[in-house]
Amino acid sequence: MQDLELLQDGLALMALGMGVVFVFLTLLVISVTFMSKLIGRFQPVPVTAVTAKKSPSSHAPSAQNDEVMAVISAAVHRYRSTRRH
């Protein structure tokens, strides 16, 4: 009889614990959803302005990419040359 009572107490405690966790997670989901909607209402997503002139700025990233490639190549060459010695 004592084993049956212990089993019932254990199952009741398990159900209580699972119920508390379920309620907590439900409240967490509701609060996060509410905060997301609240932030969306008071802080809208900024819209980026599209500029008409794109051709002069398109040459700058290409030159910058070439410079970055040269620096990376030099760093790799130097690393490989110091690694052998």
Side-chain angles (χ1 to χ4, degrees), residues 40-75:
R41 175 177 287 176
F42 292 115
Q43 187 74 27
V45 177
V47 178
T48 57
V50 178
T51 59
K53 293 183 178 182
K54 288 190 176 181
S55 51
S57 64
S58 65
H59 297 294
S62 176
Q64 188 177 10
N65 287 341
D66 293 341
E67 183 180 353
V68 170
M69 278 299 268
V71 170
I72 291 173
S73 298

Side-chain angles (χ1 to χ4, degrees), residues 5-52:
E5 290 175 6
L6 282 174
L7 184 62
Q8 287 176 345
D9 287 344
L11 290 175
L13 188 60
M14 181 188 69
L16 178 67
M18 289 177 69
V20 167
V21 169
F22 179 76
V23 169
F24 173 75
L25 290 176
T26 303
L27 289 174
L28 183 67
V29 167
I30 290 170
S31 65
V32 167
T33 304
F34 174 71
M35 285 189 286
S36 175
K37 288 182 181 180
L38 190 68
I39 288 173
R41 175 177 287 176
F42 292 115
Q43 187 74 27
V45 177
V47 178
T48 57
V50 178
T51 59

